[in-house]
Amino acid sequence: MIHLILGGARSGKTRYATDAAAALSAQGYECIYMATAQALDKEMESRITRHRQDRSEDTLRWITVETPLLLVESLAQYARKDRVIIVDCLTLWLTNQLLAHEPLADSEHLQDRMKESQSCVGLDGNNWPEAKAALLELLPTLEGEIYLVSNEVGCGIVPLGELNRRFVDEAGWLHQEIARLADSVVLVTAGLPMRLKGA
């Protein structure tokens, strides 16, 4: 089943998904955590390190898959009927896809890190529409329980900058299309889940 978990920053959406994984683990499911973050700056490096530490200290035995760009391929490889997969998160995956084809400010460090990431997967041209279409085509075919965590970013002011506005638009369209095919959709606010679709 496909579960879309939406919420703002620090809303409790990842906790909601990991609690669901814990319940499924008690039923014998294997837990897979797909992380889409890239350590493009020191703050994100610290964040990723903290998340890795949290999972290593968790009572659940997580299998962690770091997949900043190849989410579709990773889902196809790891999904099976006795597994629960948490993708954390779709908006970081979208960011990675969009930035893979955009100049990154003036930071040589950021540019070098993105070049390394792109060279690993042979990216060329803007392939976001293809990546999105591949995800939407794959999701209904996956076995097991798939929890797609994503940031709801469309509730604020229209951001400045073309790339920022495109990100908000693309995230909104992605959420709508996944919500249409998802078995359940939950919006988490202040740690409280509100079910929008499904039982």
Side-chain angles (χ1 to χ4, degrees), residues 153 156-169:
V153 297
I157 62 172
V158 176
L160 295 175
E162 181 181 349
L163 182 59
N164 296 333
R165 288 191 296 273
R166 182 180 178 202
F167 167 77
V168 171
D169 288 347

Side-chain angles (χ1 to χ4, degrees), residues 39-199:
L40 297 179
D41 57 45
K42 293 294 184 185
E43 189 274 338
M44 187 58 86
E45 285 178 10
S46 297
R47 206 177 267 249
I48 290 171
T49 299
R50 188 172 63 251
H51 281 286
R52 287 175 181 153
Q53 185 68 26
D54 290 346
R55 285 193 300 276
S56 71
E57 295 172 356
D58 198 330
T59 55
L60 294 181
R61 295 183 63 189
W62 291 102
I63 297 172
T64 300
V65 179
E66 296 191 0
T67 181
L69 290 162
L70 299 181
L71 177 60
V72 174
E73 293 83 350
S74 296
L75 284 168
Q77 178 182 350
Y78 284 92
R80 67 184 196 206
K81 63 182 180 181
D82 60 345
R83 283 180 170 171
V84 53
I85 296 176
I86 293 177
V87 175
D88 193 9
C89 70
L90 287 179
T91 36
L92 279 176
W93 176 63
L94 167 61
T95 299
N96 297 337
Q97 291 286 336
L98 296 179
L99 289 180
H101 317 291
E102 293 288 337
L104 285 173
D106 298 321
S107 169
E108 290 184 16
H109 173 70
L110 290 180
Q111 292 172 7
D112 290 343
R113 296 300 289 270
M114 282 303 296
K115 285 176 186 174
E116 289 171 17
S117 174
Q118 292 171 37
S119 67
C120 291
V121 295
L123 287 176
D124 59 347
N126 188 345
N127 71 342
W128 166 243
E130 291 81 5
K132 175 182 168 182
L135 177 66
L136 295 171
E137 182 178 353
L138 176 70
L139 287 176
T141 72
L142 295 176
E143 293 186 305
E145 301 291 329
I146 314 297
Y147 284 80
L148 304 168
V149 177
S150 200
N151 290 287
E152 180 51 68
V153 297
C155 297
I157 62 172
V158 176
L160 295 175
E162 181 181 349
L163 182 59
N164 296 333
R165 288 191 296 273
R166 182 180 178 202
F167 167 77
V168 171
D169 288 347
E170 295 291 355
W173 291 325
L174 178 65
H175 292 162
Q176 288 184 54
E177 293 186 62
I178 292 177
R180 275 194 283 274
L181 59 85
D183 299 286
S184 73
V185 180
V186 173
L187 176 66
V188 182
T189 303
L192 302 174
M194 295 177 287
R195 189 165 294 277
L196 305 180
K197 179 181 179 182

Side-chain angles (χ1 to χ4, degrees), residues 15-37:
R15 173 55 57 195
Y16 177 89
T18 55
D19 286 349
L24 289 165
S25 176
Q27 300 174 32
Y29 279 70
E30 194 171 29
C31 299
I32 312 293
Y33 189 96
M34 292 194 175
T36 60

